Amino acid sequence: HNRASPSAFLWYLKCMFFLFFFVVQDLGVRIPRPLGNGPSRFIPEKEILQISKVDARTQSIFEDAFAALGRLDNISLVMGFHPQYLGSFLRTQHYLLQMDGPLSLHYRHYIGIMAAARHQCSYLVNLHVNDFLQVGGDPKWLNGLDEAPQKLQQLGELNKILAHRPWLLTKEHIECLLKAEEHSWSLAELIHAVVLLTHYHSLASFTFGCGITPEIHCDGGHTFRPPSLSQYCVCDIANGNGHANHHDDPLGNQMCGEVEVLMERMKQLQECRDDEEASQEEMATRFEREKTESMLVATAEDEECVPSRDISRHFEDPSYGYKDFSRRGEHVPTFRVQDYSWEDHGFSLVNRLYPDVGQMLDEKFQMAYNLTYNTMATHKDVDTSMLRRAIWNYIHCMFGIRYDDYDYGEINQLLDRSFKIYIKTMVCSPEKTTKRMYESFWRQFQHSEKVHVNLLLMEARMQAELLYALRAITRYMT
């Protein structure tokens, strides 16, 4: 038999929805309808929906996720551009939230709420408020952090420092949590809490960076107002033309050569690497210069984002953030990976105190870092490792983390100002990320490539926070 094309079927469904909506409305029934166009404000719905149709692995992962959770959230739909990574991400998140571990289930979701609230990420907060109540959490705790147990309240300082200035974390902070008499944490519990905090800080970055919208059943995801047909026809809605695609922006024509310019710079840098090698002193100077410059990159439009009471009640000291630190010109100390690294130190500490999680995190970091399709926009057979490394190391550089064997002079060659502003905002103040910022970098690249960038930013940020937390725990233990 002949099957209808997906677009024709979608058009038919949406026509039927409009008919159904107006008929039922006449009967006085209020029907919610989605506020947004699909899972992301930045990426056309039809591109996201197309993923699972063309990739059987993505379809299978979606089915498994739905079977395990009873839902398929919009974060997973957008991550579906990269099924290999999505599988690793969902396995890790499922283990952290559902499987055997030091912390009770309701504590895990409450810590997720605390971490997401730090960046005013109402999407993740609402998701975990529902999960917290489903696993038997006390509704009173949701009135504010001061209503939660003292043990969770004491985690507030760690949450605040890790989210905004992890380099300030010391073994004394760890000692306060581990030696708090009847409210003290065990080492295993603290490792679990640290992994959850860093997971949700970085996931908030991804959520804002990809413009994730709430699902229809969530707060902010629906409206009861009837749809308006005056602005566009049903055919437009069915074809995903309700909003513009930045790839069709006429300004993009001015940027036609950006991919070729970037590829040429990568080629030249590779040739320079082969011809000469900078001295250790010069490499150190270049790192310090890049670190200082990264402090001065403005985030977004630098506007104030005042958290609503609904969000700010889940954490303390709302004014504490990345911005006021950088404006005062404070110095970020250098953290040498040669002295304390994830591979040689952090990985084994996590695995020892929270078995299997170190392995899962390591696989997820490696997946994001090494993921490649050997393409750049329309170009094939391209080695993108230099670019991926520049992005990862730039994020770590913003946190003061230095790799002795990396030439930080490459970063300015490969990452332009608009891209740096996007990275800085998404990693340090993700709640300020705008659609205009998303569209202003890499204008000629595919949405799937920009989602890949967001995965890199998310994982590099998580690893940076983890390094500081695990180093502080190691110092306390020794």
Side-chain angles (χ1 to χ4, degrees), residues 42-71:
F42 302 167
I43 306 169
E45 182 180 18
K46 60 183 178 181
E47 283 199 37
I48 297 170
L49 294 177
Q50 197 63 31
I51 309 163
S52 60
K53 293 174 187 151
V54 298
D55 193 307
R57 189 192 317 170
T58 306
Q59 182 68 39
S60 171
I61 291 168
F62 283 171
E63 288 168 1
D64 291 346
F66 188 82
L69 295 171
R71 67 170 184 250

Side-chain angles (χ1 to χ4, degrees), residues 241-294:
N241 296 332
H243 55 96
N245 176 354
H246 80 273
H247 292 293
D248 301 328
D249 190 330
L251 283 174
N253 294 331
Q254 301 167 16
M255 308 286 290
C256 276
E258 78 168 337
V259 182
E260 290 75 15
V261 168
L262 192 51
M263 288 173 65
E264 182 59 31
R265 283 183 182 166
M266 287 161 60
K267 183 181 168 188
Q268 289 170 359
L269 284 170
Q270 187 58 57
E271 289 167 358
C272 289
R273 272 185 189 173
D274 297 338
D275 292 345
E276 57 176 287
E277 194 171 312
S279 66
Q280 278 301 308
E281 293 77 11
E282 177 60 23
M283 298 269 266
T285 301
R286 289 175 186 176
F287 169 77
E288 292 298 332
R289 187 186 303 133
E290 192 58 53
K291 183 175 72 170
T292 304
E293 284 179 10
S294 77

